[in-house]
């Protein structure tokens, strides 16, 4: 038996209401520039583009809370929004599965409080992870078991998820001095693979950065490999697919970054690595410069530092395959004492003997090693007392020149925006029709049950009180309905024209809201009938609704550490043309 189809009025109301609410809240959350309907915690993220400029400061780890705060405040004051720091494994997991996060927490909390982006370098093995090594030897050696390093990387990622944008795996990996005495691409690749898989399992959105290469030439005696050679051997060992970017430290003390593109110089090495990555199918992955600087203890001092940094920033920021760049470092480690600077050996005279050449070479090597240690104290863009060097203005000017780029439109978000707008308009029209239907219903009820009331005589002579016409306020009390109560003898004729005050002008609309009716209609002429109240709205056919309101989401001295320094200064290796480069550290990675 066929049943009559039920009227779908209730289902329609519920469906449209639910759909509108979903569109309003869901679409709002998806819009690229829209404010979400709920409060969320915004976390700073390092923007992966060549014009991103931050500061690398490995000294933060051993600073007091006050010095960490002052350092980050200084950086923010010149426009720096991103910082690179060290997470020394040896300082955190002092024994297997025993953690002390205090040194790292203070930096992360300070950076988060200032909404700064963070890149962290995980490096320095603890003694328990390197069999037979002393504490200092372990810090500059890879662990015996790469999986243990991967476990620690996962712990770090879980703890600082949402604060750190990217992790570098080790530091200056192509230098033997910081990798167990000999650069080992295959061993490093195993370390990288373990770390990558375990980091991504915790936070798939974080960037894993491999290589972290120093700008050093190949030197078999020192166990060093140049960066392009090391990267080639990494690919041969299966590194592809286990990193999102690589990083490089293009230090050079005698030639600006743009000054020489020969294959052995930093700019040439960067070009060679990018070309290699293209051939391996990684051409879209960026090369970051996670350290660059110039020690003001070198020839040229603060003026040369500013010139080199300015040249580097201008050149690096125009390389299409480049990622963010970081200047090393914030502040000098000590007051400059020129008298303590190493003295170079006297140059050889004409026609030196072989013995003299050998003696001079040894003396010069010792000088450069001492100079390297001395230089490490004076890479700061501020001196020890936080006085600005000229490089600070260079960084200020570049950051001030960068105009924020709006995020590209989200196609899905635009679709939802248009969809929500259409649904909202349809719901508004539906509500208007529903309200008008209710009004018509109540008007019909009034016509049936409202008592007859004698209206005032029509008079077109005036409408103002005392002008002979009806009081305009009286018209608001008279219902535009046919009287049902018998007229009195002195009542006006029934064919008198009806009052027209309830007819809205064409540019207005009237919504009639029924008033409560009396249960016992009075027959007295002095009692006004119960009539609907007229509410006028202009400019639209939508009903007038009350506003619900809208709520809106809402000079100190750095402390010293008894721990042996992990930064004994970069060693300086003579380049192919006799130039000097900042290389790896003899005890640890400086920056």
């Amino acid at each position: 038996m066929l049943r009559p189809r039920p009227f779908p009025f209730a289902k329609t109301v519920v469906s449209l209401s639910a759909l509108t609410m979903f569109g309003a809240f869901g679409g709002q959350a998806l819009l690229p520039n829209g404010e979400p309907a709920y409060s969320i915690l915004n976390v700073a993220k390092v923007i992966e583009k060549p014009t991103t400029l931050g500061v690398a400061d490995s000294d933060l780890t051993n600073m007091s809370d006050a010095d960490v705060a002052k350092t980050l405040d200084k950086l923010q004051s010149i426009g720096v929004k991103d910082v690179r720091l060290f997470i020394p494994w040896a300082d955190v997991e002092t024994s297997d599965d025993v953690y002390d996060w205090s040194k790292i927490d203070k930096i992360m909390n300070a950076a988060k409080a200032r909404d700064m982006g963070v890149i962290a370098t995980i490096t320095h093995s603890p003694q328990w992870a390197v069999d037979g090594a002393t504490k200092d030897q372990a810090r500059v050696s890879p662990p015996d078991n790469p999986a243990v390093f991967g476990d620690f990387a996962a712990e770090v990622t879980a703890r600082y998820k949402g604060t750190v944008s990217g992790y570098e795996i080790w530091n200056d990996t192509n230098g033997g001095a910081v990798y167990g005495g000999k650069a080992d691409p295959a061993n490093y690749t195993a370390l990288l693979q373990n770390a990558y898989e375990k980091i991504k399992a915790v936070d798939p959105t974080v960037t894993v950065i491999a290589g972290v290469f120093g700008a050093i030439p190949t030197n078999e005696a020192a166990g060093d490999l140049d960066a392009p050679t090391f990267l080639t051997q990494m690919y041969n060992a299966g590194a592809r697919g286990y990193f999102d970017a690589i990083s490089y430290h293009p230090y050079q003390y005698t030639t600006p970054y743009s000054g020489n593109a020969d294959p052995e110089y930093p700019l040439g090495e960067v070009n060679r690595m990018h070309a290699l990555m293209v051939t391996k199918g990684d051409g879209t992955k960026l090369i970051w410069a996670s350290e660059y600087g110039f020690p003001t203890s070198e020839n040229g001092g603060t003026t040369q530092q500013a010139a080199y940094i300015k040249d580097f920033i201008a050149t690096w920021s125009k390389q299409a395959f480049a990622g963010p760049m970081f200047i090393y470092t914030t502040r000098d480690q000590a007051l400059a004492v020129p008298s303590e600077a190493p003295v170079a050996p006297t140059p050889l005279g004409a026609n030196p003997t072989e013995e003299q050449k050998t003696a001079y070479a040894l003396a010069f090597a010792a000088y450069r090693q001492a100079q390297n240690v001395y230089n490490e104290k004076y890479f700061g863009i501020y001196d020890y007392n936080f006085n600005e060097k000229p490089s600070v203005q260079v960084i200020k000017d570049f950051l001030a020149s960068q105009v924020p780029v709006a995020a590209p439109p989200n196609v899905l978000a635009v679709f939802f925006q248009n969809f929500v707008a259409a649904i909202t308009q349809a719901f508004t029209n539906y509500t208007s029709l529903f309200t008008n239907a209710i009004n018509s219903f109540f008007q019909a009820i009034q016509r049936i049950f409202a008592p007859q009331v004698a209206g005032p005589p029509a008079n077109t002579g005036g409408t103002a009180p005392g002008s002979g016409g009806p009081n305009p306020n009286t018209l608001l009390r008279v219902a535009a309905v046919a009287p049902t109560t018998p007229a009195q003898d002195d009542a006006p004729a029934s064919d008198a024209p009806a009052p027209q005050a309830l007819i809205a002008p064409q540019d207005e609309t009237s919504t009639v809201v029924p008033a409560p009716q009396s249960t016992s209609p009075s027959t007295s002429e002095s009692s006004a009938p119960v009539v609907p109240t007229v509410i006028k709205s202009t400019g639209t056919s939508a009903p007038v609704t009350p506003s619900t309101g809208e709520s809106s989401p809402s000079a100190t001295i750095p402390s010293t550490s008894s721990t042996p320094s992990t930064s004994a200064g970069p060693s300086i290796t003579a380049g192919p043309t006799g130039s000097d480069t900042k290389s790896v550290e003899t005890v640890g990675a400086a920056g």
Side-chain angles (χ1 to χ4, degrees):
M1 174 179 176
L2 295 176
R3 298 178 181 273
R5 188 174 184 179
F7 180 62
F9 176 75
K11 290 183 178 179
T12 303
V13 172
V14 172
S15 299
L16 284 176
S17 300
L19 186 59
T20 302
M21 291 178 67
F22 167 77
F25 287 96
Q28 187 180 38
L30 288 170
L31 296 181
N33 298 317
E35 289 294 333
Y38 47 85
S39 177
I40 62 173
L41 176 63
N42 293 317
V43 179
K45 182 170 177 63
V46 176
I47 305 301
E48 298 185 13
K49 60 180 182 179
T51 53
T52 294
L53 176 60
V55 168
D57 197 330
S58 51
D59 294 328
L60 287 166
T61 307
N62 290 319
M63 286 185 189
S64 66
D65 290 358
D67 274 347
V68 168
K70 186 168 185 177
T71 299
L72 297 186
D73 287 343
K74 279 289 184 182
L75 294 179
Q76 277 204 315
S77 72
I78 63 174
V80 173
K81 299 178 181 178
D82 304 302
V83 64
R84 175 193 184 245
L85 55 90
F86 270 14
I87 300 182
W89 181 17
D91 294 349
V92 177
E93 193 175 5
T94 53
S95 299
D96 192 7
D97 284 334
V98 178
Y99 300 92
D100 178 4
W101 299 99
S102 57
K103 283 186 175 183
I104 313 304
D105 282 351
K106 70 182 176 186
I107 311 171
M108 296 296 185
N109 292 336
K112 184 189 297 185
R114 290 161 179 79
D115 198 31
M116 298 182 78
V118 176
I119 295 297
T121 306
I122 307 176
T123 186
H124 297 329
S125 299
Q127 186 175 5
W128 61 265
V130 183
D131 187 45
T134 66
K135 188 174 183 180
D136 288 344
Q137 289 171 340
R139 293 179 75 89
V140 293
S141 301
D144 296 333
N145 183 1
V148 180
F149 179 85
D151 293 340
F152 176 71
E155 293 287 342
V156 171
T157 306
R159 188 172 187 87
Y160 301 118
K161 186 176 182 179
T163 300
V164 176
S165 297
Y167 290 102
E168 288 184 310
I169 307 304
W170 215 258
N171 188 62
D172 287 328
T173 22
N174 57 323
V178 293
Y179 208 78
K182 183 180 179 180
D184 188 342
N187 180 281
Y188 174 72
T189 298
L191 196 76
L192 173 67
Q193 290 170 332
N194 270 274
Y196 182 89
E197 290 182 339
K198 292 173 181 177
I199 288 172
K200 290 292 187 176
V202 176
D203 185 357
T205 68
V206 78
T207 300
V208 176
I209 307 165
V212 205
F213 303 121
I216 56 175
T218 295
N219 183 339
E220 291 185 5
D224 301 337
L225 285 176
D226 65 79
T229 299
F230 194 98
L231 181 60
T232 299
Q233 295 186 26
M234 280 178 56
Y235 274 116
N236 294 341
R240 186 170 188 268
Y242 290 96
F243 60 88
D244 303 313
I246 68 169
S247 60
Y248 180 68
H249 304 160
Y251 291 103
Q252 228 290 340
Y253 298 165
T254 61
T255 305
Y257 179 69
S258 68
N260 196 325
D262 287 349
E264 296 82 7
Y265 281 79
L267 179 55
E269 289 198 330
V270 168
N271 289 333
R272 288 166 61 194
M273 287 189 289
H274 174 63
L276 174 63
M277 293 168 73
V278 171
T279 64
K280 298 297 184 180
D282 285 338
T284 59
K285 294 183 178 180
L286 302 179
I287 302 175
W288 295 40
S290 57
E291 285 183 34
Y292 180 82
F294 185 93
T296 52
S297 50
E298 278 287 334
N299 291 335
T302 59
T303 301
Q304 190 85 315
Q305 182 193 59
Y308 271 47
I309 288 178
K310 184 175 183 178
D311 170 83
F312 168 72
I313 291 173
T315 307
W316 188 270
S317 62
K318 292 180 174 62
Q319 296 175 133
F321 54 80
M325 51 185 160
F326 292 79
I327 301 301
Y328 180 81
T329 183
T330 310
R331 176 192 183 194
D332 286 349
Q333 295 176 353
L335 291 170
V337 182
S339 62
E340 295 180 359
V343 178
T346 303
L348 294 173
N351 302 316
T353 65
E354 290 301 320
E355 291 182 357
Q356 288 175 325
K357 290 180 181 179
T358 301
Y360 178 79
L362 292 173
F364 188 83
Y367 158 71
R368 287 311 307 175
Q369 185 175 5
Q371 182 69 19
N372 178 51
V373 175
Y374 183 73
N375 282 343
E376 189 62 35
K377 302 175 183 178
Y378 306 110
F379 274 92
I381 58 175
Y382 292 92
D383 69 15
Y384 183 72
N385 291 324
F386 278 110
N387 296 310
E388 293 183 4
K389 298 180 185 180
S391 296
V392 169
Q393 192 61 48
V394 171
I395 293 171
K396 278 184 182 179
D397 292 343
F398 178 79
L399 292 173
S401 71
Q402 300 305 301
V403 179
V405 179
N410 185 313
V411 176
L412 182 61
V414 171
F415 167 77
F416 268 98
Q417 185 178 27
N418 295 332
F419 175 76
V420 170
I423 290 296
T424 302
Q425 183 61 45
F427 187 75
T428 301
N429 294 339
Y430 167 80
T431 304
S432 178
L433 292 173
F434 179 76
T435 303
N436 291 337
I438 294 296
N439 289 338
S440 299
F441 172 76
F442 277 104
Q443 286 180 1
I445 295 297
Q446 289 290 341
R447 289 189 180 95
I448 296 173
F449 296 105
Q452 180 181 5
V453 178
N459 190 325
T460 59
T463 57
S467 64
N471 189 318
N473 295 329
T474 304
L475 294 177
L476 296 178
R477 298 172 47 248
V478 180
V481 295
T484 57
T485 306
Q488 303 297 321
D489 293 340
D490 56 350
S494 61
D495 59 350
Q500 300 296 313
L502 294 179
I503 302 176
Q506 291 184 355
D507 62 343
E508 297 181 340
T509 58
S510 301
T511 300
V512 182
V513 181
Q517 294 208 22
S518 172
T519 55
S520 56
S522 172
T523 57
S524 170
E525 292 182 6
S526 62
S527 300
V530 178
V531 297
T533 302
V534 177
I535 303 174
K536 292 186 178 181
S537 63
T538 61
T540 177
S541 62
V544 178
T545 58
S547 173
T548 60
E550 184 177 357
S551 60
S552 57
S554 29
T556 59
I557 305 299
S559 64
T560 59
S561 172
S562 59
T563 303
S565 171
T566 63
S567 173
S571 61
I572 305 301
T573 307
T577 59
S579 60
D580 294 328
T581 59
K582 178 182 186 297
S583 174
V584 296
E585 293 70 27
T586 56
V587 175

